[in-house]
Amino acid sequence: MRLATLLGPDLKDALQTDPAALHEALEEFHPEDIAEIVEDIQLDDAVSLFRALPDDWGADVLERLPPEVQTGIIGSLSVEEAAGVLSEMSPDDLVDVVQELQEERQELVTELLGHFEQHEPEVAEEVRELSAYAEDVAGGLMTPDYVALPPETKCWEAIEEVRRLSRAEEVETIYYIYVIYGQVLVGVVSLRDLILGDPGETLADVMAENVVTVRDSDDQEEVATAIAKYDFNAIPVVDEHGNMLGVVTVDDVVDVVIEEATEDAHMMGAVDPIDDGYFETNLFGLFRSRVTWLSLLFVGGFLTATVMESFQEQLQTMLTLAIFVPLIISSGGNAGSQSASLIIRALAVGDVEPSDWWRVFGRELIVSVALGLVLGLLGFARAYFAADGGEDPVTLGLAVSLSTVGVVLVGSMVGSLLPLGIQRVGLDPAVSSTPFIASLVDVVGLLIYLSAGGAILSMA
Amino acid sequence: MRLATLLGPDLKDALQTDPAALHEALEEFHPEDIAEIVEDIQLDDAVSLFRALPDDWGADVLERLPPEVQTGIIGSLSVEEAAGVLSEMSPDDLVDVVQELQEERQELVTELLGHFEQHEPEVAEEVRELSAYAEDVAGGLMTPDYVALPPETKCWEAIEEVRRLSRAEEVETIYYIYVIYGQVLVGVVSLRDLILGDPGETLADVMAENVVTVRDSDDQEEVATAIAKYDFNAIPVVDEHGNMLGVVTVDDVVDVVIEEATEDAHMMGAVDPIDDGYFETNLFGLFRSRVTWLSLLFVGGFLTATVMESFQEQLQTMLTLAIFVPLIISSGGNAGSQSASLIIRALAVGDVEPSDWWRVFGRELIVSVALGLVLGLLGFARAYFAADGGEDPVTLGLAVSLSTVGVVLVGSMVGSLLPLGIQRVGLDPAVSSTPFIASLVDVVGLLIYLSAGGAILSMA
């Protein structure tokens, strides 16, 4: 509440009368909470706030704002003002802002880089290096601000260096000290071991070798898996020669894991992943994220009509067959959705590999036949009582129940093996979404039911 | 490779000739990697390894083994040996092992607790306190091993205390020092600020107030959201009076986020979440995770047969109507799956609240009408060319396309509002799985299509 008051209608007055007092009052709050309120106030109020308060305060808040608000604020500041705030940000966050600006305000980015080139060439250099990486690989997540020292450094010297860098706010994480020989990463010492160790020992004496690293080109999902597996606070990023390039910290990884889970959940529901929140995405964005898949699935679904047409004669004479069409095809779709959600998730966390397809096939075969028998039994009962004179109840029951077994089997096979195949060819297995599997199985299910079920019925 | 050799066929020899050398060799590797191999070796080899090597080594490896291997090893050791290893574990991991043992080996847990009671009563106390919490709330994730000091402590005293506790391996994280008045949490100082600060200042001088905390009863998802939001390395857990109880560290949270995403993905696919990996779950476990929902959906699907039966006469005279049944109902299911996956994920990350239902309703209404019109147009074309003399092509086209608009609209509404309602009554919105939404929409979609579409056709 108090925070909302500080940034409320009296903000302009407060900024004019005593910006220092306002700054002190705001220091009480976490930048994340401040960012949440800044997001909702008028743009010109926000800009006045960034102008009046120190650059490091602005940097802390700016990095936590959504992209469109960042762009709005940076665009309204002068190049000098903007550069002041940006150069206080950690390089990885700065690059994210610059990459965001690039899309809409190319000329502003050129001006900013020119300004850095003149006044702080090392910032311009870092931005250029980091911009080379895609946002979703280790290189795009890492920060180049870490502590790296040669192996012969004494522990007390290392502590002094950590204090110096940390006081100058030049490092993002001080909890690991990386030991480099030339630029090659050869060991790591935790701050904990450093402050516990004998000050006269060298880093080479106390360091752990066999450092777990990721490559700069590794996908962010692999980075997340490595950090989660080893319970690290940070993981070093190296190039193909083992040269240290940066570190990815665990707090960025938590964001990555959440982001990837959202992406997968959307894809599984046949939605093109939306980057922003549900309410932040405009109506056209929501429409666009859904229309492609929905139309493709609909046009693909024309095949069901084609199958139905080709069995038209049979349906004419045995209309009871038509009655069970929705039930049977949906059971195949449901079984397929189940298998797909198990396998896609297992692929995402690394439990299953495409090369395991033979084992997956065996397991799904057994499980789906068991499931099919359960449903088949239920289906037999329902069909038995549906026969109203035209058909023999047992024959109709058999037609429905045997088709159900077949459809559940096919559904599970498609649902489990298709994601493996898609991953095998290098695509994201989550594109074999639940609706996609269901629609595919609809067609196959119809063919099975209308031909096998129809054959059984006509034998009677 | 080298690790696999160390733990390979010659393991027994190595343990008999020179366990100290083996221990030293193993120290080169991360316990996580060792655990991965121990998982696959013979149980009696693993037990010999735990017997021969120091308890703190055993503790590091044991906490990373899957539950069934943990139970196997602990069950094969004597009570004294097991207690030795267990008491070296951090309390939160120890409690996880004990809770796992509880299910199958109640008598062993009683013996172990009796042993702790006699020799290390503080361990028994901690286990009792932590066991009171469910595994998936903050209390079940937290460790009681943290650094907490009174506000009048001088910074140099605090550093000394951190060194002492850290050397004694009595704390899990030293990166935050919590400031408590009595037991009430009043502030926090990061290790970074502590080593940077003036040694003569007190913690009260340098601490940050307004500490972000979670309640012991908070769901693990809320803990993860808070840590992710504020980019913390650890978050303190307090009771209803603000007394500090423990801390949850970010590495545990990464695991929680992955676990919750898996749970949601399974539920979204109508699978009862399985706790272990795909291949670790036996066939019966896989069957059980799927049979309940699949059967329920199948029996619910009987309603589609009932609807079809009640329109039997109409279908008899207009068989073309039946031809489009699978296409139309699947488009409703697909639209519903899309909406559900967007909303369920937005609820999980806190973007949308059940109280937003009115805004969601408005957005889905507009978007789904637009989507429905696109599909309706496609459907019109398909139906127009399907009419083979019996029906007027335009009328058939209208029947199919108008029904499609209605079904897509209803599908999106059900898919978006049902999860909100389910969360509102306190259940996990992911139970409104994609197959559940699709099956529900099947029934409604059939009713719409057969009545509205049928009416349009018979008007012609």
Side-chain angles (χ1 to χ4, degrees), chain A residues 124-258:
Chain A
E125 175 70 17
E126 278 179 344
V127 170
R128 253 198 314 276
E129 275 177 23
L130 293 180
S131 312
Y133 293 106
E135 260 185 85
D136 59 354
V137 298
L141 287 175
M142 72 185 182
T143 171
D145 291 352
Y146 52 89
V147 189
L149 296 167
E152 65 275 15
T153 316
K154 294 271 192 290
C155 286
W156 70 265
E157 292 172 321
I159 294 180
E160 277 315 301
E161 182 65 9
V162 167
R163 290 176 69 124
R164 194 187 64 73
L165 288 170
S166 193
R167 189 168 296 127
E169 300 205 342
E170 277 183 7
V171 287
E172 182 143 323
T173 173
I174 58 166
Y175 300 135
Y176 297 107
I177 290 86
Y178 297 96
V179 185
I180 50 173
Y181 188 81
Q183 272 305 309
V184 177
L185 179 66
V186 293
V188 63
V189 182
S190 71
L191 180 61
R192 179 182 188 140
D193 291 338
L194 198 63
I195 66 170
L196 286 181
D198 177 347
E201 285 188 298
T202 65
L203 292 184
D205 296 330
V206 296
M207 74 186 187
E209 294 168 49
N210 290 309
V211 188
V212 179
T213 59
V214 289
R215 273 293 307 282
D216 52 348
S217 54
D218 281 350
D219 188 87
Q220 61 179 1
E221 212 159 352
E222 290 168 55
V223 181
T225 311
I227 287 207
K229 180 174 164 193
Y230 294 107
D231 290 346
F232 289 144
N233 281 326
I235 197 165
V237 182
V238 297
D239 66 13
E240 72 270 38
H241 308 296
N243 294 318
M244 179 140 185
L245 300 173
V247 293
V248 178
T249 51
V250 67
D251 52 291
D252 293 330
V253 162
V254 175
D255 299 338
V256 165
V257 171
I258 292 177

Side-chain angles (χ1 to χ4, degrees), chain B residues 339-397:
Chain B
S339 297
S341 70
L342 282 168
I343 295 296
I344 290 175
R345 192 59 202 161
L347 283 167
V349 299
D351 264 358
V352 168
E353 301 287 330
S355 56
D356 294 324
W357 71 272
W358 184 243
R359 281 176 73 197
V360 170
F361 175 83
R363 307 192 99 208
E364 292 294 317
L365 185 71
I366 299 168
V367 172
S368 64
V369 167
L371 291 169
L373 289 175
V374 173
L375 296 200
L377 221 64
L378 294 167
F380 183 89
R382 177 65 179 83
Y384 186 89
F385 295 108
D388 57 350
E391 300 84 7
D392 171 42
V394 176
T395 316
L396 183 62

Side-chain angles (χ1 to χ4, degrees), chain A residues 28 32-33 36 163 171 192 195 210 229-230 262 270 277-278 281 290 335 338-339 345 351 363-364, chain B residues 28 32-33 36 163 171 192 195 210 229-230 262 270 277-278 281 290 335 338-339 345 351 363-364:
Chain A
E28 286 290 301
E32 181 69 36
D33 295 321
E36 270 186 22
R163 290 176 69 124
V171 287
R192 179 182 188 140
I195 66 170
N210 290 309
K229 180 174 164 193
Y230 294 107
T262 300
Y278 177 78
T281 309
R290 298 173 56 172
Q338 289 187 324
S339 296
R345 192 59 203 162
D351 264 357
R363 307 192 99 208
E364 291 294 316
Chain B
E28 287 290 300
E32 182 69 38
D33 296 321
E36 270 185 21
R163 291 178 68 125
V171 287
R192 178 180 189 143
I195 66 170
N210 289 313
K229 180 175 163 191
Y230 295 105
T262 301
Y278 177 79
T281 308
R290 298 173 57 171
Q338 290 186 324
S339 297
R345 192 59 202 161
D351 264 358
R363 307 192 99 208
E364 292 294 317

Side-chain angles (χ1 to χ4, degrees), chain B residues 225-243:
Chain B
T225 311
I227 287 206
K229 180 175 163 191
Y230 295 105
D231 291 345
F232 289 145
N233 281 325
I235 196 166
V237 182
V238 297
D239 67 13
E240 72 270 38
H241 308 297
N243 294 317

Side-chain angles (χ1 to χ4, degrees), chain A residues 3-4 7 30-41 61 64-66 69, chain B residues 225 229-230 350:
Chain A
L3 185 54
L7 299 173
H30 195 283
E32 181 69 36
D33 295 321
I34 298 176
E36 270 186 22
I37 295 189
V38 166
E39 210 178 304
D40 294 331
I41 65 179
V61 174
R64 293 177 164 86
L65 288 169
V69 184
Chain B
T225 311
K229 180 175 163 191
Y230 295 105

